[in-house]
Amino acid sequence: AQRVTQPEKLLSVFKGAPVELKCNYSYSGSPELFWYVQYSRQRLQLLLRHISRESIKGFTADLNKGETSFHLKKPFAQEEDSAMYYCALMKDSNYQLIWGAGTKLIIKP
Amino acid sequence: GAGVSQSPRYKVAKRGQDVALRCDPISGHVSLFWYQQALGQGPEFLTYFQNEAQLDKSGLPSDRFFAERPEGSVSTLKIQRTQQEDSAVYLCASSLTGRSSGYTFGSGTRLTVV
């Protein structure tokens, strides 16, 4: 069965410290993986997708097929990074997303 | 409009009451999705439309849930005889194509069944 696991419900780090939000997935084929972010009182928005191999707002994520992971990283956290972060996997159907439960990231000043 | 609009933002329903949630997608977006997000969980897929055709309704939890998009634009999610377990945020998203990488989400409707 396809599944996305975000083991941390809450992650709190100091401003300027490195951040790593964990995401593990279970999928038998070639996955397409995403990170979505929801800032306070705002709607869900796409942060990045593994296919484009981009860096958005200083965040990167590398797909590790051996470890079935897609961890989100940023070397120096900023206060405006505080938000809910969701990892999601696209099914073969190419339209349906399977979501993790989310990690709340708090950046302390 | 400029974004995906959902109404109402909040809905309190008495158990057994019928509710209708509206989604107004971005103009020209072919694909429309409904997701249900329970407290402390990630969204879960409910149903998918391509224009007016409902291509996938496998995520609808029971036959009390019904969705339509009769003219390929506005969509309505209807829940009949609401139960407490229906309490959740209902998210609508639209996409120019069927690729969920191009989703634009609405702000959601928070439904509380009392």
Side-chain angles (χ1 to χ4, degrees):
Chain A
Q2 294 137 333
R3 186 167 53 244
V4 175
T5 303
Q6 293 180 250
E8 304 137 329
K9 280 199 172 300
L10 175 66
L11 183 64
S12 181
V13 302
F14 283 103
K15 176 182 169 182
V19 171
E20 184 179 51
L21 297 162
K22 291 185 168 52
C23 172
N24 289 91
Y25 66 90
S26 171
Y27 184 65
S28 56
S30 293
E32 187 167 354
L33 285 147
F34 305 84
W35 278 99
Y36 279 78
V37 61
Q38 187 168 28
Y39 300 102
S40 180
R41 285 189 276 279
Q42 293 187 28
R43 56 192 70 190
L44 267 172
Q45 56 186 280
L46 178 66
L47 181 61
L48 54 80
R49 42 191 300 227
H50 90 270
I51 279 183
S52 47
R53 301 187 63 82
E54 57 204 343
S55 173
I56 303 291
K57 300 184 179 184
F59 284 98
T60 59
D62 289 317
L63 179 60
N64 185 323
K65 291 187 178 181
E67 296 182 359
T68 59
S69 69
F70 187 56
H71 303 329
L72 183 68
K73 300 177 184 179
K74 184 169 182 176
F76 308 103
Q78 298 171 298
E79 286 185 67
E80 55 264 33
D81 295 329
S82 294
M84 280 293 296
Y85 290 80
Y86 294 93
C87 182
L89 176 153
M90 185 189 292
K91 291 179 69 170
D92 291 339
S93 55
N94 285 346
Y95 59 78
Q96 192 182 135
L97 287 172
I98 307 295
W99 299 76
T103 297
K104 183 172 185 177
L105 177 64
I106 296 174
I107 307 301
K108 297 178 285 190
Chain B
V4 178
S5 177
Q6 289 188 248
S7 62
R9 285 294 309 274
Y10 304 93
K11 176 69 179 178
V12 179
K14 290 185 177 179
R15 193 169 56 179
Q17 187 180 349
D18 296 350
V19 299
L21 313 180
R22 177 189 168 104
C23 173
D24 202 339
I26 291 175
S27 178
H29 275 197
V30 168
S31 300
L32 185 145
F33 309 83
W34 283 97
Y35 280 80
Q36 180 190 57
Q37 186 173 19
L39 190 63
Q41 302 296 319
E44 291 199 4
F45 173 80
L46 291 177
T47 188
Y48 162 58
F49 289 87
Q50 191 172 90
N51 295 307
E52 68 279 3
Q54 189 175 21
L55 298 187
D56 187 342
K57 55 181 181 178
S58 62
L60 296 176
S62 78
D63 59 8
R64 296 185 296 103
F65 286 71
F66 172 76
E68 60 183 4
R69 193 186 184 198
E71 296 176 1
S73 178
V74 171
S75 177
T76 304
L77 176 67
K78 297 178 179 176
I79 309 173
Q80 296 177 320
R81 305 180 304 281
T82 52
Q83 305 293 315
Q84 279 194 314
E85 61 263 28
D86 299 336
S87 295
V89 175
Y90 290 85
L91 295 168
C92 177
S94 71
S95 171
L96 192 56
T97 67
R99 304 279 309 176
S100 51
S101 55
Y103 277 4
T104 302
F105 279 90
S107 297
T109 294
R110 182 179 295 279
L111 173 65
T112 304
V113 181
V114 297

Short mmCIF file of all heavy atoms in Angstrom, two decimals, chain B residues 22-57:
data_model
loop_
_atom_site.label_atom_id
_atom_site.label_comp_id
_atom_site.label_asym_id
_atom_site.label_seq_id
_atom_site.Cartn_x
_atom_site.Cartn_y
_atom_site.Cartn_z
N ARG B 22 -19.34 24.71 -1.32
CA ARG B 22 -19.14 25.19 -2.68
C ARG B 22 -17.68 25.47 -2.96
O ARG B 22 -16.94 25.95 -2.10
CB ARG B 22 -19.95 26.48 -2.87
CG ARG B 22 -19.79 27.14 -4.23
CD ARG B 22 -20.44 28.52 -4.25
NE ARG B 22 -20.08 29.28 -5.42
CZ ARG B 22 -20.88 29.48 -6.46
NH1 ARG B 22 -22.09 28.96 -6.47
NH2 ARG B 22 -20.46 30.21 -7.50
N CYS B 23 -17.29 25.16 -4.21
CA CYS B 23 -15.93 25.46 -4.67
C CYS B 23 -16.01 26.16 -6.01
O CYS B 23 -16.62 25.65 -6.96
CB CYS B 23 -15.10 24.19 -4.80
SG CYS B 23 -13.47 24.46 -5.55
N ASP B 24 -15.37 27.31 -6.11
CA ASP B 24 -15.30 28.07 -7.35
C ASP B 24 -13.84 28.04 -7.81
O ASP B 24 -13.00 28.75 -7.24
CB ASP B 24 -15.78 29.50 -7.10
CG ASP B 24 -16.23 30.19 -8.35
OD1 ASP B 24 -15.82 29.75 -9.45
OD2 ASP B 24 -16.99 31.16 -8.25
N PRO B 25 -13.51 27.22 -8.81
CA PRO B 25 -12.10 27.05 -9.18
C PRO B 25 -11.60 28.24 -10.00
O PRO B 25 -12.36 29.14 -10.36
CB PRO B 25 -12.12 25.79 -10.03
CG PRO B 25 -13.48 25.81 -10.66
CD PRO B 25 -14.40 26.42 -9.64
N ILE B 26 -10.33 28.20 -10.29
CA ILE B 26 -9.75 29.21 -11.17
C ILE B 26 -10.35 29.03 -12.56
O ILE B 26 -10.46 27.90 -13.06
CB ILE B 26 -8.22 29.07 -11.20
CG1 ILE B 26 -7.65 29.47 -9.84
CG2 ILE B 26 -7.60 29.91 -12.31
CD1 ILE B 26 -6.15 29.26 -9.70
N SER B 27 -10.71 30.13 -13.18
CA SER B 27 -11.34 30.08 -14.49
C SER B 27 -10.44 29.36 -15.50
O SER B 27 -9.25 29.66 -15.60
CB SER B 27 -11.63 31.50 -14.97
OG SER B 27 -12.20 31.50 -16.25
N GLY B 28 -11.02 28.40 -16.20
CA GLY B 28 -10.25 27.68 -17.21
C GLY B 28 -9.56 26.42 -16.70
O GLY B 28 -9.03 25.65 -17.50
N HIS B 29 -9.57 26.23 -15.40
CA HIS B 29 -8.94 25.01 -14.86
C HIS B 29 -9.85 23.82 -15.13
O HIS B 29 -11.00 23.78 -14.73
CB HIS B 29 -8.66 25.17 -13.37
CG HIS B 29 -7.37 25.84 -13.09
ND1 HIS B 29 -6.74 25.78 -11.85
CD2 HIS B 29 -6.55 26.57 -13.87
CE1 HIS B 29 -5.62 26.45 -11.90
NE2 HIS B 29 -5.48 26.94 -13.12
N VAL B 30 -9.27 22.83 -15.78
CA VAL B 30 -10.02 21.67 -16.22
C VAL B 30 -10.29 20.72 -15.05
O VAL B 30 -11.37 20.17 -14.90
CB VAL B 30 -9.23 20.93 -17.33
CG1 VAL B 30 -9.80 19.56 -17.61
CG2 VAL B 30 -9.20 21.79 -18.58
N SER B 31 -9.28 20.54 -14.21
CA SER B 31 -9.36 19.53 -13.15
C SER B 31 -9.74 20.15 -11.82
O SER B 31 -9.29 21.25 -11.49
CB SER B 31 -8.01 18.82 -13.02
OG SER B 31 -7.66 18.19 -14.23
N LEU B 32 -10.55 19.43 -11.09
CA LEU B 32 -10.99 19.89 -9.78
C LEU B 32 -10.99 18.70 -8.84
O LEU B 32 -11.42 17.60 -9.18
CB LEU B 32 -12.39 20.51 -9.86
CG LEU B 32 -12.94 21.15 -8.57
CD1 LEU B 32 -13.77 22.38 -8.91
CD2 LEU B 32 -13.72 20.16 -7.75
N PHE B 33 -10.47 18.95 -7.63
CA PHE B 33 -10.29 17.90 -6.64
C PHE B 33 -10.94 18.32 -5.32
O PHE B 33 -10.88 19.49 -4.95
CB PHE B 33 -8.81 17.66 -6.36
CG PHE B 33 -7.97 17.46 -7.59
CD1 PHE B 33 -7.49 18.53 -8.32
CD2 PHE B 33 -7.63 16.18 -8.01
CE1 PHE B 33 -6.70 18.35 -9.45
CE2 PHE B 33 -6.85 15.98 -9.13
CZ PHE B 33 -6.39 17.07 -9.85
N TRP B 34 -11.49 17.36 -4.60
CA TRP B 34 -11.94 17.57 -3.23
C TRP B 34 -11.11 16.65 -2.32
O TRP B 34 -10.91 15.47 -2.62
CB TRP B 34 -13.41 17.22 -3.06
CG TRP B 34 -14.37 18.24 -3.59
CD1 TRP B 34 -15.01 18.24 -4.79
CD2 TRP B 34 -14.82 19.42 -2.91
NE1 TRP B 34 -15.83 19.34 -4.91
CE2 TRP B 34 -15.73 20.09 -3.76
CE3 TRP B 34 -14.55 19.99 -1.65
CZ2 TRP B 34 -16.38 21.28 -3.41
CZ3 TRP B 34 -15.19 21.16 -1.30
CH2 TRP B 34 -16.09 21.80 -2.17
N TYR B 35 -10.66 17.24 -1.22
CA TYR B 35 -9.94 16.50 -0.19
C TYR B 35 -10.60 16.77 1.17
O TYR B 35 -11.16 17.84 1.39
CB TYR B 35 -8.46 16.93 -0.11
CG TYR B 35 -7.57 16.32 -1.17
CD1 TYR B 35 -7.55 16.83 -2.47
CD2 TYR B 35 -6.76 15.23 -0.88
CE1 TYR B 35 -6.74 16.26 -3.44
CE2 TYR B 35 -5.95 14.66 -1.85
CZ TYR B 35 -5.95 15.19 -3.12
OH TYR B 35 -5.14 14.62 -4.09
N GLN B 36 -10.46 15.79 2.06
CA GLN B 36 -10.96 15.93 3.42
C GLN B 36 -9.76 15.89 4.37
O GLN B 36 -8.91 15.00 4.26
CB GLN B 36 -11.89 14.77 3.76
CG GLN B 36 -12.48 14.79 5.17
CD GLN B 36 -13.18 13.49 5.50
OE1 GLN B 36 -12.60 12.41 5.43
NE2 GLN B 36 -14.46 13.58 5.85
N GLN B 37 -9.68 16.86 5.27
CA GLN B 37 -8.56 16.89 6.20
C GLN B 37 -9.08 16.89 7.63
O GLN B 37 -9.62 17.91 8.10
CB GLN B 37 -7.67 18.11 5.96
CG GLN B 37 -6.43 18.11 6.82
CD GLN B 37 -5.46 19.22 6.46
OE1 GLN B 37 -5.83 20.20 5.83
NE2 GLN B 37 -4.21 19.06 6.85
N ALA B 38 -8.93 15.78 8.31
CA ALA B 38 -9.31 15.69 9.72
C ALA B 38 -8.24 16.37 10.58
O ALA B 38 -7.09 16.53 10.14
CB ALA B 38 -9.47 14.23 10.12
N LEU B 39 -8.60 16.72 11.77
CA LEU B 39 -7.70 17.43 12.67
C LEU B 39 -6.43 16.62 12.91
O LEU B 39 -6.48 15.45 13.26
CB LEU B 39 -8.41 17.70 14.00
CG LEU B 39 -7.71 18.64 14.97
CD1 LEU B 39 -7.58 20.04 14.37
CD2 LEU B 39 -8.46 18.71 16.30
N GLY B 40 -5.29 17.26 12.70
CA GLY B 40 -4.02 16.60 12.95
C GLY B 40 -3.58 15.62 11.88
O GLY B 40 -2.60 14.90 12.07
N GLN B 41 -4.28 15.59 10.77
CA GLN B 41 -3.96 14.66 9.68
C GLN B 41 -3.67 15.41 8.39
O GLN B 41 -4.00 16.59 8.26
CB GLN B 41 -5.13 13.70 9.45
CG GLN B 41 -5.52 12.89 10.67
CD GLN B 41 -4.42 11.96 11.10
OE1 GLN B 41 -3.75 11.34 10.29
NE2 GLN B 41 -4.21 11.87 12.41
N GLY B 42 -3.09 14.70 7.45
CA GLY B 42 -2.94 15.26 6.12
C GLY B 42 -4.24 15.11 5.35
O GLY B 42 -5.14 14.37 5.75
N PRO B 43 -4.36 15.83 4.24
CA PRO B 43 -5.57 15.70 3.42
C PRO B 43 -5.74 14.28 2.88
O PRO B 43 -4.75 13.59 2.62
CB PRO B 43 -5.33 16.69 2.28
CG PRO B 43 -4.32 17.65 2.80
CD PRO B 43 -3.45 16.85 3.72
N GLU B 44 -6.99 13.87 2.69
CA GLU B 44 -7.30 12.58 2.07
C GLU B 44 -8.20 12.83 0.88
O GLU B 44 -9.18 13.56 0.96
CB GLU B 44 -7.95 11.64 3.07
CG GLU B 44 -7.00 11.19 4.16
CD GLU B 44 -7.47 9.94 4.88
OE1 GLU B 44 -8.51 9.38 4.50
OE2 GLU B 44 -6.79 9.55 5.86
N PHE B 45 -7.86 12.18 -0.22
CA PHE B 45 -8.58 12.34 -1.48
C PHE B 45 -10.03 11.90 -1.35
O PHE B 45 -10.32 10.86 -0.78
CB PHE B 45 -7.87 11.51 -2.55
CG PHE B 45 -8.58 11.44 -3.86
CD1 PHE B 45 -8.50 12.50 -4.76
CD2 PHE B 45 -9.33 10.33 -4.20
CE1 PHE B 45 -9.16 12.43 -5.98
CE2 PHE B 45 -9.99 10.26 -5.42
CZ PHE B 45 -9.90 11.31 -6.31
N LEU B 46 -10.91 12.73 -1.90
CA LEU B 46 -12.32 12.36 -1.97
C LEU B 46 -12.74 12.05 -3.40
O LEU B 46 -13.22 10.97 -3.69
CB LEU B 46 -13.20 13.49 -1.41
CG LEU B 46 -13.11 13.76 0.09
CD1 LEU B 46 -13.98 14.96 0.45
CD2 LEU B 46 -13.50 12.55 0.90
N THR B 47 -12.56 13.05 -4.29
CA THR B 47 -13.07 12.87 -5.64
C THR B 47 -12.37 13.81 -6.61
O THR B 47 -11.76 14.81 -6.20
CB THR B 47 -14.60 13.09 -5.67
OG1 THR B 47 -15.12 12.75 -6.96
CG2 THR B 47 -14.98 14.53 -5.35
N TYR B 48 -12.47 13.49 -7.90
CA TYR B 48 -11.78 14.22 -8.96
C TYR B 48 -12.71 14.42 -10.15
O TYR B 48 -13.38 13.48 -10.58
CB TYR B 48 -10.54 13.43 -9.36
CG TYR B 48 -9.91 13.78 -10.69
CD1 TYR B 48 -9.48 15.08 -10.95
CD2 TYR B 48 -9.72 12.82 -11.68
CE1 TYR B 48 -8.88 15.40 -12.16
CE2 TYR B 48 -9.13 13.14 -12.89
CZ TYR B 48 -8.71 14.43 -13.12
OH TYR B 48 -8.11 14.75 -14.32
N PHE B 49 -12.72 15.65 -10.66
CA PHE B 49 -13.48 15.99 -11.86
C PHE B 49 -12.52 16.46 -12.95
O PHE B 49 -11.58 17.19 -12.69
CB PHE B 49 -14.46 17.14 -11.58
CG PHE B 49 -15.62 16.77 -10.72
CD1 PHE B 49 -15.52 16.83 -9.33
CD2 PHE B 49 -16.83 16.38 -11.29
CE1 PHE B 49 -16.60 16.51 -8.53
CE2 PHE B 49 -17.91 16.06 -10.48
CZ PHE B 49 -17.80 16.12 -9.11
N GLN B 50 -12.85 16.06 -14.15
CA GLN B 50 -12.23 16.66 -15.33
C GLN B 50 -13.37 17.29 -16.12
O GLN B 50 -14.24 16.59 -16.64
CB GLN B 50 -11.50 15.62 -16.16
CG GLN B 50 -10.62 16.24 -17.23
CD GLN B 50 -9.75 15.20 -17.92
OE1 GLN B 50 -10.16 14.61 -18.92
NE2 GLN B 50 -8.58 14.95 -17.38
N ASN B 51 -13.37 18.61 -16.15
CA ASN B 51 -14.54 19.35 -16.64
C ASN B 51 -15.76 18.90 -15.83
O ASN B 51 -15.71 18.91 -14.61
CB ASN B 51 -14.70 19.17 -18.13
CG ASN B 51 -13.53 19.79 -18.89
OD1 ASN B 51 -13.22 20.96 -18.70
ND2 ASN B 51 -12.89 19.00 -19.74
N GLU B 52 -16.83 18.50 -16.49
CA GLU B 52 -18.03 18.14 -15.73
C GLU B 52 -18.06 16.66 -15.36
O GLU B 52 -18.94 16.21 -14.61
CB GLU B 52 -19.29 18.51 -16.52
CG GLU B 52 -19.53 17.70 -17.77
CD GLU B 52 -18.72 18.19 -18.96
OE1 GLU B 52 -17.92 19.14 -18.79
OE2 GLU B 52 -18.88 17.62 -20.06
N ALA B 53 -17.10 15.90 -15.87
CA ALA B 53 -17.10 14.45 -15.64
C ALA B 53 -16.41 14.11 -14.33
O ALA B 53 -15.25 14.50 -14.10
CB ALA B 53 -16.40 13.75 -16.80
N GLN B 54 -17.09 13.35 -13.50
CA GLN B 54 -16.50 12.87 -12.26
C GLN B 54 -15.76 11.58 -12.56
O GLN B 54 -16.37 10.52 -12.70
CB GLN B 54 -17.59 12.65 -11.20
CG GLN B 54 -17.04 12.37 -9.81
CD GLN B 54 -18.13 12.28 -8.76
OE1 GLN B 54 -19.29 12.03 -9.08
NE2 GLN B 54 -17.78 12.46 -7.49
N LEU B 55 -14.45 11.65 -12.70
CA LEU B 55 -13.66 10.51 -13.15
C LEU B 55 -13.27 9.56 -12.02
O LEU B 55 -12.93 8.40 -12.26
CB LEU B 55 -12.40 10.98 -13.87
CG LEU B 55 -12.63 11.81 -15.15
CD1 LEU B 55 -11.31 12.05 -15.86
CD2 LEU B 55 -13.61 11.12 -16.07
N ASP B 56 -13.29 10.07 -10.81
CA ASP B 56 -12.89 9.21 -9.69
C ASP B 56 -13.62 9.69 -8.44
O ASP B 56 -13.48 10.85 -8.06
CB ASP B 56 -11.36 9.30 -9.50
CG ASP B 56 -10.82 8.31 -8.47
OD1 ASP B 56 -11.60 7.78 -7.66
OD2 ASP B 56 -9.60 8.07 -8.48
N LYS B 57 -14.39 8.81 -7.86
CA LYS B 57 -15.06 9.14 -6.59
C LYS B 57 -14.73 8.08 -5.54
O LYS B 57 -15.49 7.89 -4.59
CB LYS B 57 -16.56 9.31 -6.77
CG LYS B 57 -17.27 8.14 -7.40
CD LYS B 57 -18.76 8.46 -7.55
CE LYS B 57 -19.50 7.28 -8.16
NZ LYS B 57 -20.95 7.54 -8.28
#
